[in-house]
Amino acid sequence: MEEAEIALSEQQLVRREKLLKLQAEGRDPFAAVRWNHSHHSSFIKQNFEALENQDVSIAGRIMSFRDIGKASFIDLQDKEGRIQVYLNAEGLGAEEYAHVKSWDMGDIIGVEGYVFKTRRGEISVHAKRMELLTKALEPLPEKYHGLRDPEQRYRRRYLDLVMNSQVMETFKKRTIIIKAFRDYLDNVGYLEVETPVLSTIASGAAARPFVTKSNALNLQLYLRIATELYLKRCIVGGMERVYEIGKNFRNEGIDIRHNPEFTMIELYQAYADYNDMMELCENLCASAALKACGSTKVNYQGTELEFAAPWRRLSMMDAVREYGKIDFSSVKNDEEARELAKKHGLVEELKKKLEDCSKGDILNAAFEKFAEKELIQPTFILDYPADISPLTKQKPGDPSMTERFEAFVYGRELANAYSELNDPIVQMDRFNQQAKERELGDDEAYMLDEDFVSSLEVGMPPTGGMGIGMDRLIMFLTDSYSIRDVILFPTMKPVQ
RNA sequence: GGGCCGUUAGCUCAGCUGGUAGAGCAGCAGACUCUUAAUCUGCGGGUCGCAGGUUCGAUCCCUGCACGGCUCACCA
């Protein structure tokens, strides 16, 4: 007792004793072994007529063990679900049957036997041979309530997955949704690419980056906050249609809809513009909803969301007029806009001092305050101020506005898309403007990427581009309240 | 970062106005050949998140800390 020992519970000690006993008997449940299994649980249940009285081989985890004396029932869980195993001395032999009875809930076993239906109508496997494939040394959480403690569910997701079948369903759906995106884009000629996570410049979005260091290069590097500028280089290179699904990293607050690392798809299409991106956005989301939920109509937190095209289209100015009762169309300059800001209580919403704010800043603040949370059904908000859209083409006839939209669902931003700015001279001016913003204290202003500008000098065709927050879409399609419910291992503070 | 709430057996949770703790599941022993939250009998299992303080005495009151949840702020 000199060294600090990990305190084992009574139940853990019991299981370790069982393990030692098994090993002493030459039945080490951790010894190398493979198990040929022929079927999964749900397949057997769905194909009972064909499989009745047929031999099958299954494997999984013991979730329930009902010993009624000379016979027992086990609920075996595999990746598809659960199936009941019936065992008795006749099927296994008296000695084996007695041995199996010492197994525990949580143990991972293989079962060979024939398919039958119990008198109560439960499709089951009548065991002829059983093998303990892995011993569980820790007891499972409570079989009825499962694992409830949110902290443990996130920290020990493996237990959450074992105990809560809807969690497994959510993550299966997650994969279906991402695959739906891939299938759709691959079918219309997109090329999936990979761009750097590590870079000396973190640009393409407004966010604080994570900082790391390369030992080999003796260099400070950032983890990417967006893939935009590299994907556009691919367009310059002639790939015409590219997308990347991957993690972005933003060193910011953690809450119900933000995780420091999150999954984004960005896609770029040459010879297209933001109108094409709207259609693509509708089609991608509708197709994902159809594949994951069987319908474009999805229930989210008690509200029915309709993802089928067409989504409502509304300019930012019209949205502010509709939801904020403020008319920006007649505002001629920044000064008039600042007056409006004071009149409508927007000053506190602004990220900068009022005198530093342009008309665009104030319009955006009014939108965020009055309109954003009202946009429940999928809605495109079009035409964003140029000041907050440094990578976007200006509107023909109104250089203060850009060809940009964001898609909102349930009051949350889901997608962001532009007619991509491809004029290298204007792009340089916009980066310079961002540098000024940074001097004014905005540490999320876009970093200058000179090589990106120089790629535009080589020539980027007119291009439409879009980013969609995959985690957020997955939240909507799985009725998940928190982003942590759609990320397998969300960022957590370590326990001290 | 602010506010509110939580942390008690492996798990899910009780625990009154302060007198060092209970249930169900799980575990152990036993009974039971169609159970499925199986049932029945009996028995074990706790540094009440951590550290201080008040008190004769703290799971309970106070302070601080840790972790988590919600929320506001922040955050395209």
Side-chain angles (χ1 to χ4, degrees):
Chain A
M1 294 291 280
E2 287 162 6
E3 298 291 322
E5 289 176 21
I6 300 163
L8 292 176
S9 70
E10 180 193 35
Q11 297 192 48
Q12 286 173 307
L13 291 170
V14 166
R15 293 200 179 199
R16 272 161 204 253
E17 281 163 21
K18 287 185 181 180
L19 171 65
L20 290 174
K21 184 163 174 283
L22 286 165
Q23 287 167 333
E25 291 167 354
R27 295 181 184 249
D28 184 357
F30 295 112
V33 68
R34 61 190 305 282
W35 182 262
N36 286 316
H37 81 303
S38 63
H39 297 86
H40 280 102
S41 57
S42 62
F43 185 89
I44 294 171
K45 288 182 175 179
Q46 283 158 15
N47 297 280
F48 173 70
E49 281 74 20
L51 288 169
E52 188 171 15
N53 294 318
Q54 302 288 308
D55 278 351
V56 294
S57 173
I58 56 178
R61 192 184 291 277
I62 300 176
M63 298 303 291
S64 178
F65 201 126
R66 295 179 293 281
D67 175 2
I68 53 165
K70 296 198 168 59
S72 299
F73 298 87
I74 284 173
D75 289 340
L76 193 71
Q77 178 168 287
D78 63 20
K79 67 168 182 164
E80 303 289 336
R82 293 185 185 186
I83 189 161
Q84 182 170 265
V85 176
Y86 177 74
L87 49 147
N88 59 15
E90 284 163 39
L92 292 170
E95 195 180 327
E96 269 311 281
Y97 179 61
H99 169 71
V100 167
K101 279 193 180 191
S102 72
W103 295 353
D104 291 301
M105 282 202 266
D107 287 353
I108 293 165
I109 64 171
V111 180
E112 287 172 3
Y114 63 89
V115 177
F116 78 111
K117 203 178 258 185
T118 63
R119 281 173 217 158
R120 296 282 177 90
E122 177 89 14
I123 294 165
S124 307
V125 173
H126 195 303
K128 294 184 191 167
R129 186 168 87 86
M130 297 180 72
E131 194 166 333
L132 180 58
L133 302 175
T134 300
K135 184 78 192 159
L137 295 180
E138 185 180 311
L140 289 177
E142 213 245 9
K143 65 184 171 188
Y144 185 60
H145 297 94
L147 184 67
R148 290 282 184 81
D149 179 2
E151 183 170 355
Q152 294 309 315
R153 289 189 47 222
Y154 296 142
R155 283 194 200 281
R156 309 187 76 196
R157 181 72 88 184
Y158 41 92
L159 270 181
D160 194 26
L161 286 164
V162 168
M163 297 310 298
N164 299 319
S165 61
Q166 75 281 9
V167 173
M168 182 72 87
E169 289 311 307
T170 292
F171 287 103
K172 284 181 179 173
K173 273 191 183 182
R174 181 181 173 108
T175 299
I176 290 169
I177 291 160
I178 290 173
K179 190 170 186 310
F181 269 57
R182 286 208 163 93
D183 288 347
Y184 189 98
L185 293 169
D186 294 348
N187 278 332
V188 295
Y190 272 79
L191 189 67
E192 181 171 11
V193 298
E194 291 179 276
T195 65
V197 171
L198 296 174
S199 170
T200 51
I201 299 157
S203 196
R208 282 185 288 266
F210 284 92
V211 184
T212 186
K213 182 177 174 274
S214 162
N215 291 334
L217 301 175
N218 188 27
L219 192 64
Q220 175 178 282
L221 292 172
Y222 299 107
L223 274 63
R224 69 183 177 195
I225 57 173
T227 47
E228 175 149 5
L229 302 188
Y230 279 105
L231 290 173
K232 285 183 184 171
R233 286 167 166 96
C234 296
I235 298 293
V236 170
M239 287 181 164
E240 293 190 8
R241 295 184 178 200
V242 292
Y243 72 93
E244 178 165 11
I245 296 172
K247 289 279 182 75
N248 285 344
F249 307 86
R250 297 188 183 174
N251 207 341
E252 284 161 1
I254 300 175
D255 65 25
I256 214 100
R257 54 195 98 146
H258 297 88
N259 195 64
E261 54 178 299
F262 61 100
T263 302
M264 178 100 114
I265 181 169
E266 285 195 39
L267 58 91
Y268 293 84
Q269 180 173 335
Y271 315 113
D273 68 5
Y274 78 148
N275 293 298
D276 300 299
M277 292 299 110
M278 273 183 253
E279 262 182 55
L280 189 53
C281 184
E282 290 167 337
N283 291 341
L284 283 168
C285 293
S287 122
L290 211 50
K291 285 183 178 167
C293 312
S295 165
T296 57
K297 284 193 179 71
V298 174
N299 175 65
Y300 185 70
Q301 308 289 300
T303 300
E304 188 180 80
L305 302 173
E306 172 59 270
F307 281 94
W311 298 1
R312 189 181 181 205
R313 288 156 164 75
L314 189 66
S315 77
M316 181 180 269
M317 222 175 255
D318 287 343
V320 169
R321 188 186 293 122
E322 179 174 333
Y323 295 104
K325 309 287 179 233
I326 309 174
D327 188 1
F328 272 83
S329 61
S330 56
V331 173
K332 292 178 194 65
N333 52 44
D334 294 345
E335 194 47 50
E336 284 184 33
R338 287 179 201 134
E339 288 305 313
L340 272 183
K342 281 189 232 169
K343 188 176 155 196
H344 291 94
L346 291 169
V347 178
E348 286 174 11
E349 309 289 319
L350 296 164
K351 289 157 200 164
K352 297 179 284 186
K353 289 182 196 150
L354 183 60
E355 58 267 32
D356 293 329
C357 282
S358 65
K359 176 184 164 185
D361 292 326
I362 291 161
L363 173 63
N364 187 54
F367 170 74
E368 285 178 1
K369 178 168 182 185
F370 297 114
E372 205 173 290
K373 61 180 176 293
E374 307 292 335
L375 305 173
I376 302 303
Q377 291 303 318
T379 303
F380 293 119
I381 295 298
L382 330 187
D383 301 343
Y384 277 63
D387 319 73
I388 56 167
S389 312
L391 304 171
T392 314
K393 264 189 185 170
Q394 283 143 315
K395 292 279 287 183
D398 184 359
S400 74
M401 302 299 278
T402 56
E403 287 204 341
R404 170 184 182 184
F405 73 79
E406 287 190 348
F408 288 88
V409 178
Y410 205 74
R412 298 175 191 174
E413 183 199 342
L414 178 67
N416 182 20
Y418 323 136
S419 296
E420 303 296 337
L421 176 58
N422 61 347
D423 179 335
I425 296 165
V426 174
Q427 183 65 80
M428 197 64 200
D429 287 346
R430 298 279 190 85
F431 274 127
N432 288 334
Q433 183 58 38
Q434 288 293 309
K436 281 179 197 157
E437 300 285 339
R438 193 169 278 273
E439 281 167 28
L440 288 172
D442 181 359
D443 56 0
E444 294 183 355
Y446 287 53
M447 289 187 200
L448 167 62
D449 184 336
E450 289 185 63
D451 179 70
F452 167 66
V453 176
S454 113
S455 80
L456 294 184
E457 294 190 5
V458 172
M460 182 172 82
T463 296
M466 174 160 63
I468 299 176
M470 295 307 297
D471 306 288
R472 288 191 183 169
L473 178 64
I474 293 161
M475 286 167 71
F476 292 131
L477 300 186
T478 57
D479 196 17
S480 299
Y481 181 65
S482 168
I483 195 169
R484 296 188 143 190
D485 295 325
V486 301
I487 293 175
L488 271 172
F489 303 101
T491 306
M492 303 286 283
K493 272 196 190 181
V495 203
Q496 284 194 348

